[in-house]
Amino acid sequence: MSFTVSLRTAALPAAVAAALLLPTAPAQAAVAGSVTATVESTPVSHSGDAADDPAIWVHPSDPAKSVVVATDKKGALEVYDMAGARIQRIDGDHGNNVDLRGNIVVSADDEAAGGSLHVYRIDPATRKLTLLKDVPTEVTAHGLCLYTSRTSGKLYAFPNSTSGRVEQWELAVSGNTVKATSVRLWDAGSAVEGCYADDSTGKLYLGEEDVGVWTYGAEPTAGTARTKLDSTGSGGHLTADVEGITAAGNRIYVSSQGSNDFTVYDRASHAYLGRFAVANGTAADDCEDTDGIDASAANLGPAFPQGVFVCQDGSNGAPGTSGNQNFKFVPLQRITALFG
C-alpha cells in the first residue's frame, strides 16, 4: 500500500501527518523456527564427506512407492524408499549432484575425465535405475539441475563447476537413446554448485557459494543477465557456503551451510520469509553442514501425504557422535506451518 501526500498535509494534525509518512509494514515478518525429521535414510557406504545431494521421484500411480535418489560422491548413486531403506546402489558413479524430470535421472560426476553427466531411466515397476548414456561435458560436472522448457518442452541440464563455469545441455531422450547438445556456456564469477531450474516460471536459481543466489533465465537464449535473490555477508540472509536450492508449493528453500539452517523465500515475489533448522527429534537426529536439499509438495504416500523436504546431513548421529552421512526426510507441512 502507498499514500499520496499533497501540500495540504501540513494543515493536518501533526500525529496524522507523521503517520502518513511512516514506511508501510512488511507483508509478513521474517520468522525463525525448527522442525524434526520423521525418517532418515540408510547411511552411505563411504565414510567422511561422501553423501551430498538428493532428488525426489514421485511414482506415477502409487505415491507410497516414490523414492529418493541420492549421491554418495565417493563412488555410488543410491535409491531409497520413503522409509529410508536403500533399494539400489549403483557403484562407480561419483556424482556430486543429481536431479530428475519424469523418469529421467541425471548425475553430475566430476571424477570422470573432464566431467560427465550420467543419464539414467527409472523403471516405475522396479523403482530401479538403468544407465542410458554417459555425456562428457566441457566443464567439470560438479553441481547440477534439470529444466523442462515451458515453451518448447525440451529437457535441459545445467552442469556447473567450482571454477564458476556453467553450461546448458539439451538432452533429447528417445527410447534408450540420448542425444546431448551443448547450447550455452558462461562464467558465474566464482565457485558454484547448488542450482534449481523452475519449470513453471522459466527461472534458473544458481548458488555462488561465497556470494549468494542469482536468478537467470533458464531458456538457452536467455543470455547472462541476472538478478540477486539473496547474499552472504552484511545485508544478506545467507551464510557461506550457499549449497542446495529447491522449491515446493509457493516457497523457495536454500541451504545456508555455515549456519546449519535453511532460508525461505516467496516463490513469486522472492521476498525473504525467514529460516528454519532441522533439529534433533525422536525419530531422527538433526541436519548439520548440509549440502544438497530437495522438496516436493506432492502426495508421497501415508508417511508424507502433503509432501517432503529432504536434507543431506553432514554430521550424522546423536550429539557427540558421528557416523557415515545420510539424508533426513521431514514432512513438508511441518515447514509450511511455520511460514504460512
Side-chain angles (χ1 to χ4, degrees):
M1 184 192 321
S2 63
F3 294 96
T4 301
V5 182
S6 72
L7 292 176
R8 290 179 293 176
T9 300
L12 293 173
V16 176
L20 288 173
L21 296 174
L22 286 175
T24 56
Q28 178 177 334
V31 299
S34 65
V35 296
T36 56
T38 56
V39 168
E40 58 181 314
S41 74
T42 301
V44 298
S45 297
H46 291 98
S47 60
D49 185 19
D52 198 289
D53 192 42
I56 301 161
W57 177 76
V58 181
H59 194 281
S61 60
D62 187 347
K65 292 183 178 179
S66 300
V67 301
V68 174
V69 182
T71 61
D72 175 349
K73 60 193 176 190
K74 291 191 174 181
L77 193 64
E78 306 205 331
V79 182
Y80 306 103
D81 64 20
M82 298 313 296
R86 183 191 297 122
I87 61 176
Q88 185 182 19
R89 177 180 172 85
I90 302 172
D91 289 313
D93 187 322
H94 291 78
N96 189 74
N97 275 194
V98 64
D99 202 3
L100 57 83
R101 287 294 185 276
N103 294 339
I104 300 301
V105 180
V106 181
S107 68
D109 186 342
D110 58 4
E111 293 292 322
S116 182
L117 300 180
H118 304 305
V119 184
Y120 300 87
R121 184 190 305 280
I122 187 166
D123 182 352
T126 63
R127 300 183 292 170
K128 293 185 177 181
L129 277 59
T130 300
L131 179 65
L132 301 181
K133 187 179 181 67
D134 295 323
V135 180
T137 59
E138 293 182 22
V139 298
T140 301
H142 186 67
L144 175 77
C145 54
L146 299 186
Y147 170 63
T148 300
S149 171
R150 56 182 179 165
T151 56
S152 68
K154 294 179 178 180
L155 176 65
Y156 297 97
F158 291 94
N160 57 66
S161 100
T162 53
S163 71
R165 300 189 75 189
V166 185
E167 191 168 8
Q168 183 171 6
W169 286 79
E170 179 184 333
L171 301 177
V173 183
S174 177
N176 292 331
T177 301
V178 180
K179 180 181 179 181
T181 307
S182 177
V183 296
R184 186 165 50 145
L185 177 67
W186 75 95
D187 190 336
S190 63
V192 292
E193 179 180 353
C195 66
Y196 172 76
D198 194 331
D199 297 349
S200 65
T201 64
K203 294 176 181 178
L204 170 68
Y205 299 90
L206 180 67
E208 192 175 359
E209 292 188 350
D210 293 331
V211 178
V213 177
W214 297 99
T215 304
Y216 293 82
E219 292 294 324
T221 56
T224 59
R226 64 184 186 177
T227 59
K228 188 172 286 185
L229 173 72
D230 204 348
S231 63
T232 61
S234 178
H237 304 99
L238 296 165
T239 306
D241 290 349
V242 175
E243 292 288 345
I245 307 171
T246 190
N250 57 2
R251 300 289 180 252
I252 297 170
Y253 304 98
V254 178
S255 171
S256 190
Q257 190 177 59
S259 51
N260 292 321
D261 60 8
F262 309 93
T263 52
V264 184
Y265 308 86
D266 184 272
R267 195 168 180 175
S269 69
H270 290 172
Y272 171 71
L273 302 179
R275 60 199 321 114
F276 70 94
V278 176
N280 288 305
T282 56
D285 63 296
D286 60 358
C287 269
E288 296 179 299
D289 198 32
T290 295
D291 281 311
I293 58 175
D294 199 13
S296 172
N299 173 12
L300 299 167
F304 301 100
Q306 298 178 53
V308 69
F309 176 88
V310 180
C311 51
Q312 179 261 5
D313 184 6
S315 181
N316 181 37
T321 66
S322 182
N324 286 5
Q325 296 175 344
N326 68 353
F327 300 87
K328 304 301 194 292
F329 301 6
V330 180
L332 189 63
Q333 68 269 25
R334 294 189 176 187
I335 300 169
T336 56
L338 295 175
F339 297 96

